[in-house]
Amino acid sequence: LWQLPLRCARRTFASQTEGELRVTQILREKFPRATAIKVTDISGGCGAMYEIKIESEDFKEKRTVQQHQMVNQALKEEIKEMHGLRIFTSVPRH
Amino acid sequence: MSGSLGRAAAALLRWGRGGGLWSPGVRTAGSGAGGGGGSGSTEHLDALVKKDKVVVFLKGTPEQPQCGFSNAVVQILRLHGVRDYAAYNVLDDPDLRQGIKDYSNWPTIPQVYLNGEFVGGCDILLQMHQNGDLVEELKKLGVRSALLGEDKDQDSK
């Protein structure tokens, strides 16, 4: 049921690139407990660079570098195609 | 929060001339004695990250970063007045470039090591800079951040 908010997100589905959708999908699979995932292509749609924001219980009590490592691991194959990425992880407030 | 982070990040990622009045000890990896292993080997990298308190692997050099994220790391260290650090240019050496990614199990450059320990990339350093953690970590290394201002030893009436 928590997936509904993700679908009705502020941005319309149609405005996402294929790459954004693919990365988002992978993150949803690898972080089923995530409460918020936002992937933005910051390379002007070229798929070269992404900004990833992800909020999940999985990150609780882990150091930032460990949280980022988890995301790196999840996107290992995709990252090979990227020039770079920015990761912002967080833990749900409540 | 993401708004201010974006602004600060944008400012740091802007291409600057980087440095100028100072030059940190730019070491070239792979040079020096000892043939075994090569510049990308674990032993070699282990020695590199432990040799200096602050070690960064960049694309380019502190004087001339070749990448916005590497530049951000250089600028943050400059803000804190950290002058004496080892900077290795991965663009000079493909073995180093791949080796350091394997060593840290981290897919991107730049990489920052404090006291031999992998700290993270540019995003993490930026976060540490913004939340004050970087000042603390530098303090633990015996490096006083320039952002701490003047010593408060003066008498005050």
Side-chain angles (χ1 to χ4, degrees):
Chain A
L1 202 64
W2 57 266
Q3 280 181 346
L4 272 175
L6 280 176
R7 264 187 229 236
C8 312
R10 292 151 230 140
R11 296 180 57 183
T12 62
F13 226 47
S15 67
Q16 292 217 280
T17 68
E18 260 185 47
E20 286 172 348
L21 290 172
R22 190 174 60 248
V23 173
T24 306
Q25 189 50 40
I26 294 167
L27 289 172
R28 282 204 200 142
E29 284 165 21
K30 302 275 171 84
F31 295 95
R33 294 203 291 168
T35 39
I37 296 176
K38 183 173 175 198
V39 177
T40 313
D41 183 323
I42 52 175
S43 60
C46 294
M49 202 166 298
Y50 289 93
E51 180 185 272
I52 292 163
K53 292 186 177 165
I54 174 167
E55 178 188 88
S56 175
E57 281 294 322
D58 296 304
F59 299 136
K60 211 166 184 182
E61 271 151 47
K62 294 200 161 74
R63 289 190 310 179
T64 309
V65 65
Q66 289 172 297
Q67 297 176 10
H68 286 209
Q69 274 289 33
M70 291 168 71
V71 179
N72 285 339
Q73 285 301 114
L75 296 175
K76 203 163 178 171
E77 292 306 312
E78 274 58 39
I79 288 175
K80 286 184 190 167
E81 312 292 316
M82 296 176 195
H83 177 76
L85 77 166
R86 314 205 57 195
I87 301 174
F88 299 96
T89 51
S90 56
V91 178
R93 295 283 157 146
H94 35 270
Chain B
M1 174 197 114
S2 61
S4 61
L5 185 73
R7 269 200 302 279
L12 283 167
L13 287 176
R14 222 175 287 133
W15 281 93
R17 255 171 272 117
L21 295 176
W22 51 271
S23 56
V26 180
R27 332 266 202 267
T28 23
S31 61
S39 56
S41 73
T42 310
E43 300 79 25
H44 179 76
L45 293 171
D46 213 43
L48 283 189
V49 305
K50 298 198 165 120
K51 199 157 67 138
D52 297 277
K53 286 181 184 175
V54 181
V55 179
V56 298
F57 294 85
L58 303 172
K59 287 188 178 175
T61 64
E63 291 79 16
Q64 224 178 11
Q66 303 279 313
C67 151
F69 299 147
S70 289
N71 184 39
V73 166
V74 169
Q75 296 312 319
I76 292 172
L77 291 177
R78 182 161 151 250
L79 278 175
H80 286 264
V82 181
R83 292 153 203 266
D84 205 13
Y85 62 93
Y88 299 98
N89 184 355
V90 303
L91 297 178
D92 275 345
D93 184 345
D95 286 336
L96 176 68
R97 187 172 177 173
Q98 188 51 50
I100 196 63
K101 291 178 189 176
D102 297 332
Y103 178 79
S104 58
N105 194 25
W106 186 266
T108 51
I109 306 291
Q111 295 191 7
V112 180
Y113 292 78
L114 294 179
N115 221 25
E117 199 185 315
F118 178 59
V119 160
C122 135
D123 287 336
I124 291 179
L125 198 71
L126 182 59
Q127 197 177 308
M128 287 173 68
H129 162 66
Q130 292 182 324
N131 66 17
D133 281 352
L134 185 55
V135 172
E136 280 308 307
E137 289 300 314
L138 289 174
K139 205 171 176 183
K140 288 187 202 167
L141 297 178
V143 177
R144 187 187 162 81
S145 168
L147 296 181
L148 285 175
E150 293 295 318
D151 248 327
K152 297 196 187 124
D153 280 345
Q154 300 114 349
D155 289 322
S156 56
K157 300 237 166 179

